[in-house]
Amino acid sequence: MTLRIAVTAEPIPSHVSALDYVISPALEQGHEVVLHAPTMFRHEAGRRGMGFRPAGTDWTCDPAVQRVASDIWREAGNGPFNRYVFGRLWPERAEAKARHLVAAWTRTRPDLVIAECSDPGAHLAARVMRLPLLAADNGLAPVLLDLWDTDVVPGLAALYKRHGQDVPALPPLLTPTPIPWFYGTQPPAIRGVQRTVAEHRRALPGNPARYPSSRPLVYVSLGTVTTALPGLRTIVESAYREITAALRGIDCDAIVSAGRLAHHLRDAGGPRIKIVEHVPQPALLRHADLFVTHGGRASLLDAVQASTPVLGMGVLADQPANVAAFTRRGLGRALELRTTRAEIADAVTAVLDTPRYTDAVRAAGSELSRLPPLDLNRALHEVNGAGAAR
């Protein structure tokens, strides 16, 4: 049966890519898929071949929001940053998103809503409209679960009350990863499903033959959010400079994807170090021998699917915990963001020279590939059955 599926995303640059594991199978199974998201994602919807309806605002692009959030991270650390973001910022923006979605879904009622786990406006709108709802884990679900009772529910309580709804509850979760990888205790109503990547992210531009050489290839990316927050930008730029300085002293080639910082780092490159704004990461990682990463969940899964070990330098939100989880599984090593070029060089050399890291990542890739494919008709049936049981 063909379904009308509404997918929602919040205004974080990489978040539509993080949802490809639900978008791609929905399109491949012939369903009608519409992305309801801020306008920054209109192009992302088009290149994936799905419909688009504006919903919510590009509030993460507000300089005042960026400044306050990054100041909290810099002055108080990641824990207070997470509590501020998920206990205050997200709830404050949820009502506008919910209002837009209720209006859209009143005109064209979807059969199923798949909302980012960190999209409380979509969760509320689906509840108000009595629509079947699944939450798509974008990597933030473990953080949300940790903060749910202490910060998230209190932050949303007044909004839910205004809409005549009971206490917020996280919907059933889909996650594109074996659950023990990122969850210490398995939450109720969570299901691991096969991870897919959009087609345009699986191909390298130009001739891929130029990447292999006699030297190992190190790929470096510290993510998109880290370069967008002004309070983080100088710290992250310094980290990129320490990384490139370390790589210049190692017999390797390197590609450094630095987003909006790329033009500031041109002087840090060289004959063996290429500085770029962006590359199709999943495709490039298939040619890389090491991935120096901020530890976003999608980036780590890209590395596993490419059999590329990681050197993680977690920055904010879920990233430090993600890097720690991968380190415990022997999939790479971890360093602090503010570390020296000598320490980075030692860690890079250690990972490149130790085959057990690559072996561990290959084994993890086999485990990841055994997750079941996502069947959207079955998922709808399960959600409806769970609702009837309640």
Side-chain angles (χ1 to χ4, degrees):
M1 179 177 72
T2 300
L3 303 176
R4 292 188 300 274
I5 298 177
V7 177
T8 80
E10 286 287 79
I12 303 295
S14 61
H15 275 211
V16 171
S17 294
L19 297 177
D20 278 333
Y21 74 97
V22 296
I23 294 170
S24 294
L27 292 170
E28 288 167 4
Q29 291 165 31
H31 301 300
E32 179 186 327
V33 185
V34 176
L35 178 66
H36 297 264
T39 54
M40 65 188 295
F41 289 133
R42 186 186 296 274
H43 177 65
E44 293 295 323
R47 71 197 307 190
R48 286 166 172 81
M50 59 179 165
F52 178 79
R53 297 289 182 275
T57 64
D58 296 332
W59 57 269
T60 58
C61 301
D62 182 340
V65 170
Q66 295 175 345
R67 183 173 59 254
V68 172
S70 55
D71 285 350
I72 290 172
W73 179 88
R74 190 180 62 247
E75 296 168 9
N78 194 45
F81 170 86
N82 285 341
R83 290 192 292 274
Y84 175 72
V85 169
F86 300 112
R88 180 172 172 183
L89 271 185
W90 249 262
E92 286 178 350
R93 271 73 185 173
E95 184 158 25
K97 182 73 167 287
R99 188 172 61 251
H100 293 167
L101 292 174
V102 168
W105 295 342
T106 299
R107 292 191 297 269
T108 305
R109 188 178 180 88
D111 300 304
L112 175 65
V113 174
I114 304 179
E116 279 195 284
C117 61
S118 56
D119 191 347
H123 301 173
L124 175 59
R127 183 184 287 195
V128 169
M129 298 286 295
R130 299 183 180 277
L131 294 169
L133 171 64
L134 285 169
D137 181 5
N138 55 17
L140 295 173
V143 177
L144 288 170
L145 289 167
D146 286 344
L147 298 175
W148 192 260
D149 292 329
T150 58
D151 296 87
V152 178
V153 171
L156 291 169
L159 174 60
Y160 269 61
K161 186 176 181 180
R162 284 199 298 274
H163 287 266
Q165 300 300 311
D166 296 331
V167 176
L170 193 63
L173 272 166
L174 299 171
T175 187
T177 172
I179 293 162
W181 285 15
F182 296 101
Y183 294 89
T185 302
Q186 178 166 332
I190 185 170
R191 180 156 61 94
V193 297
Q194 195 173 93
R195 183 175 192 253
T196 53
V197 176
E199 183 176 356
H200 69 272
R201 303 184 68 233
R202 299 197 296 263
L204 281 171
N207 179 15
R210 71 179 184 274
Y211 293 103
S213 75
S214 60
R215 294 180 295 270
L217 174 63
V218 178
Y219 170 58
V220 182
S221 174
L222 299 180
T224 52
V225 176
T226 57
T227 60
L229 297 176
L232 283 172
R233 203 171 294 142
T234 55
I235 296 170
V236 174
E237 180 177 344
S238 177
Y240 272 121
R241 290 188 178 280
E242 290 297 299
I243 293 167
T244 53
L247 295 176
R248 282 198 295 271
I250 298 172
D251 187 26
C252 68
D253 295 322
I255 296 174
V256 179
S257 177
R260 63 181 66 185
L261 281 177
H263 70 282
H264 292 288
L265 296 168
R266 298 299 183 194
D267 61 311
R272 293 184 290 104
I273 300 176
K274 184 177 181 180
I275 310 292
V276 299
E277 289 189 16
H278 178 72
V279 295
Q281 181 170 284
L284 180 59
L285 279 170
R286 292 200 300 269
H287 300 271
D289 300 282
L290 174 64
F291 182 19
V292 182
T293 172
H294 63 303
R297 206 271 306 273
S299 290
L300 292 175
L301 295 180
D302 285 343
V304 169
Q305 290 184 309
S307 299
T308 306
V310 301
L311 176 58
M313 303 174 74
V315 183
L316 46 71
D318 59 315
Q319 297 160 14
N322 294 343
V323 169
F326 260 47
T327 301
R328 287 193 298 271
R329 292 185 170 273
L331 307 179
R333 295 184 60 172
L335 288 175
E336 296 294 325
L337 184 65
R338 295 182 177 92
T339 195
T340 66
R341 61 191 66 179
E343 293 171 309
I344 296 168
D346 287 345
V348 167
T349 301
V351 177
L352 288 175
D353 290 348
T354 308
R356 65 179 172 85
Y357 291 114
T358 301
D359 293 341
V361 176
R362 285 176 180 155
S366 296
E367 185 180 357
L368 186 65
S369 69
R370 291 193 293 270
L371 288 172
L374 175 60
D375 182 325
L376 273 303
N377 277 298
R378 178 185 171 191
L380 175 60
H381 177 74
E382 290 173 349
V383 173
N384 283 334
R390 288 195 301 269

